[in-house]
């Protein structure tokens, strides 16, 4: 599919598509339903056994065919997400009529027509374009709302891998699942600070899942904090320069190479490195909420959708960590058995002065690099016959594309608020806050799905001095490899 990229402005719109299966009772009037479906009704005297069979078949088809609806993903009242809302059929009154968007309260939800069309023996779902400028819309993300988390089992002592690089202070295998503390925050910002201050990655994941669950259920006092709430939170735990860890953090240049995945040991090292990235990615998603909660964008505060989006990213990263941690145990290891570094977090601190710089470097450089490299890592896992590890990475890769989409959405939003060009602003941020050349191979197709056209990243070099200028040339890669390793 060709795509004409309009550089500025770029508008993202999120819709919720869902289905409702008709109960059997709703199709008890077979004759009337058959007439409504076909638009023709024969007199009773003209009906025969074949007609009755046709009517029964039509009724059975209607009973099996779900109704499809589409509406804005945000609640028209408070702007809260509806992706996990309960759907109820109320006889006397309706909060929102799914067909018209009207409600007994006077609020009008924005709903969209949905059609199921047959095409070459298959069926396609077509959704009406958003009402804001109906021309030029393109589907860039389609995903289910349900998430898969894994409770990591305790590793078998008989299969624990012996690590040549594990420090003597390597922690014992964690006891899971983690238990939530009794006293939990009442706001999204409170959860952000709590997760960042939590050293146990399993508990970090559990807290993230609980926070997002409460957010979707409307059980948090606030999603976008007031300025007074931001001040109170920072007066407590403050903003962390380095989140605490159970594992020992080593210098990036001392972490050994992971190999190409041909051996089980090499694959364990690769998955362990990925789990470390996901552990920091959880913190990065919460840190962008905590650190930039009071950010000003062209005279406007960040909208509620900003906080909803990054909480969703945090949930995804927690899911990724649990999947990887479980897989490590299945392979006879555990997270913490090998050396890890904090290169990704260091880059976050380097961009703590600017929301624009943070999104550019972390989400449009580092995460986009992951989108480039995941298919290559997948191919190596599949070549080694490790289907389960490949399945885990496929889940991660699909989510990571949406994370780059989120970064692109909010980067372009910031540029729009400030009246600047997003491509030129991105290139300026990389030049000022990144060291080295952005190098390929680029996964251009998946980058494009996320909104990154080649003019964002081709022929682009960061001019920031390297912290690791004293490295011997063979020990580190061009383009801040320590920040997001190539896993090769």
């Amino acid at each position: 599919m060709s795509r004409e990229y309009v550089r500025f402005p770029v508008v993202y719109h999120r819709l919720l598509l869902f289905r409702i299966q008709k109960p059997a009772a709703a199709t008890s009037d077979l004759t009337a339903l058959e007439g409504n479906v076909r638009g023709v009704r024969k007199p009773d005297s003209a009906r025969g056994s074949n007609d009755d069979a046709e009517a029964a078949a039509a009724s059975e088809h209607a009973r099996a065919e779900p109704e499809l609806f589409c509406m804005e993903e945000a609640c028209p009242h408070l702007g809260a997400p509806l992706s996990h809302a309960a759907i109820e059929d109320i006889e006397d009154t309706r909060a929102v009529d799914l067909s018209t968007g009207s409600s007994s309260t006077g609020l009008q939800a924005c709903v969209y027509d949905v059609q199921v069309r047959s095409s070459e023996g298959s069926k396609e779902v077509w959704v009406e374009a958003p009402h804001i400028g109906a021309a030029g819309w393109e589907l860039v993300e389609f995903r289910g709302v349900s998430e898969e988390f894994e409770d990591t089992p305790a590793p078998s002592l008989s299969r624990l891998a012996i690590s040549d690089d594990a420090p003597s202070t390597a922690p014992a295998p964690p006891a899971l699942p983690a238990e939530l503390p009794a006293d939990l925050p009442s706001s999204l910002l409170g959860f952000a600070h709590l997760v960042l201050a939590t050293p146990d990655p399993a508990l970090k994941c559990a807290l993230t899942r609980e926070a997002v669950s409460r957010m979707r259920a409307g059980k948090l006092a606030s999603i976008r904090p007031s300025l007074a709430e931001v001040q109170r939170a920072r007066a407590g735990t403050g903003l962390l320069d380095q989140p605490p860890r159970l594992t020992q953090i080593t210098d990036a240049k001392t972490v050994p190479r992971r190999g190409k995945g041909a051996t089980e040991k090499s694959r364990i090292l690769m998955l362990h490195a990925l789990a470390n990235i996901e552990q920091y990615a959880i913190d990065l998603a919460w840190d962008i909420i905590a650190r930039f909660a009071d950010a000003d964008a062209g005279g406007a505060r960040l909208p509620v959708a900003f906080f909803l989006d990054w909480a969703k990213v945090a949930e995804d990263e927690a899911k990724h960590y649990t999947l990887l941690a479980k897989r490590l145990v299945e392979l006879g290891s555990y997270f913490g058995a090998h050396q890890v570094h904090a290169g990704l977090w260091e880059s976050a601190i380097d961009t703590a002065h600017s929301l624009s710089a943070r999104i550019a470097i972390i989400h449009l450089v580092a995460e986009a690099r992951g989108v480039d490299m995941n298919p290559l890592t997948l191919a190596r896992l599949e070549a080694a016959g490790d289907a389960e590890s490949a399945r885990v990475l496929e889940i991660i890769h699909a989510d990571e594309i949406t994370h780059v989409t989120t970064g692109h959405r909010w980067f372009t939003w910031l540029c729009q608020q400030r009246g600047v060009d997003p491509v030129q602003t991105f290139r300026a941020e990389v030049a000022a806050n990144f060291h080295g050349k952005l190098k390929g191979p680029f996964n251009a197709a998946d980058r494009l799905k996320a909104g990154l056209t080649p003019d964002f990243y081709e022929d682009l070099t960061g001019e920031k001095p390297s912290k690791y200028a004293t490295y011997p040339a063979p020990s580190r890669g061009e383009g801040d490899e320590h920040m997001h390793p190539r896993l090769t």
Side-chain angles (χ1 to χ4, degrees), residues 20 54 61 279 285 294 307 309 345 403 415 447-448 450 453 488:
I20 299 178
E54 289 180 9
H61 172 75
Q279 177 185 214
D294 58 347
F307 298 90
D309 277 0
W345 182 261
H403 298 173
C415 292
R447 281 175 173 253
L448 188 59
T453 50
T488 59

Side-chain angles (χ1 to χ4, degrees), residues 95-442:
V96 176
D97 187 300
L98 300 178
S99 299
T100 65
S102 62
S103 70
S104 58
T105 63
L107 290 173
Q108 179 68 36
C110 195
V111 297
Y112 300 87
D113 183 44
V114 182
Q115 299 177 6
V116 179
R117 302 178 184 177
S118 296
S119 175
E120 299 180 354
S122 62
K123 291 185 177 181
E124 297 177 343
V125 177
W126 288 72
V127 179
E128 180 185 3
H131 302 160
I132 306 171
W137 287 98
E138 178 179 332
L139 179 66
V140 296
E141 175 183 334
F142 184 78
R143 65 188 300 179
V145 297
S146 60
E147 300 299 340
E148 179 182 2
F149 275 77
E150 299 284 0
D151 289 329
T152 308
S156 168
L157 295 178
S158 64
R159 285 209 65 208
L160 279 180
I162 303 299
S163 167
D164 295 333
D165 65 285
S168 59
T169 55
L176 296 175
E179 293 186 6
L180 295 175
D183 187 19
L184 291 174
S186 60
S187 68
L188 192 67
L189 181 63
F191 267 104
H193 282 276
L194 177 59
V195 173
L196 286 165
T198 299
D200 179 2
L203 182 55
K204 192 183 291 288
C205 292
L207 287 169
T208 296
R209 192 177 188 182
E210 181 69 16
V212 177
S213 176
R214 293 189 180 198
M215 178 187 76
R216 291 185 176 129
K219 295 180 179 179
L220 294 180
S222 69
I223 295 175
R224 183 180 75 169
S226 66
L227 295 178
E229 186 181 351
V230 174
Q231 292 175 356
R232 287 195 299 270
R234 292 179 181 174
T237 57
L239 296 171
L240 300 178
D241 291 332
Q242 171 65 52
R245 289 289 183 263
L246 295 181
T247 50
Q248 179 177 331
I249 304 300
T250 62
D251 197 309
K253 65 178 181 291
T254 67
V255 176
R257 291 286 181 174
R258 299 160 187 85
K260 297 183 181 296
T263 66
E264 184 176 89
K265 179 180 178 181
S266 174
R267 294 194 297 277
I268 287 173
L269 288 172
M270 293 166 68
L271 296 174
H272 194 276
L274 284 172
N276 183 53
I277 290 172
E278 299 298 345
Q279 177 185 214
Y280 276 106
I282 299 168
D283 285 333
L284 289 169
W286 285 117
D287 186 73
I288 203 171
I289 289 175
R291 192 173 300 273
F292 299 101
D294 58 347
D296 178 273
R301 285 200 65 199
L302 297 169
V304 172
F306 176 88
F307 298 90
L308 297 175
D309 277 0
W310 292 110
K312 171 59 181 163
V313 171
E315 181 188 40
D316 284 347
E317 308 294 14
K319 175 182 68 175
H320 300 167
Y321 174 85
T322 63
L323 291 169
L324 290 164
K326 177 176 182 288
R327 184 61 186 146
L328 283 170
V329 170
E330 291 170 348
L331 291 172
S333 187
Y334 61 92
F335 183 71
H338 303 277
Q339 292 180 356
V340 295
H341 64 77
L344 188 59
W345 182 261
E346 290 172 9
S347 298
I349 292 302
D350 290 345
T351 56
H353 62 284
S354 164
L355 178 57
S356 176
R358 166 65 68 86
I359 295 176
I361 302 305
I362 297 301
H363 302 287
L364 300 183
V365 172
E367 280 205 285
R369 187 59 180 157
V371 169
D372 295 336
M373 299 312 302
N374 285 337
L376 302 180
T377 307
L378 256 170
R380 289 182 178 138
L381 293 173
E382 291 170 347
D386 192 344
E388 182 57 26
S389 295
R391 183 190 73 85
V392 169
L393 198 57
E394 284 176 350
I395 295 171
I396 293 173
H397 180 63
D399 286 345
E400 295 296 351
I401 296 173
T402 71
H403 298 173
V404 179
T405 304
T406 300
H408 182 264
R409 174 190 183 186
W410 289 108
F411 189 84
T412 54
W413 182 87
L414 285 171
C415 292
Q416 185 176 6
Q417 294 298 114
R418 295 166 181 169
V420 295
D421 182 88
V423 171
Q424 295 306 316
T425 304
F426 172 75
R427 295 180 74 89
E429 293 287 11
V430 172
N433 297 287
F434 187 75
H435 171 77
K437 182 179 176 60
L438 267 64
K439 60 178 181 176
F442 297 116

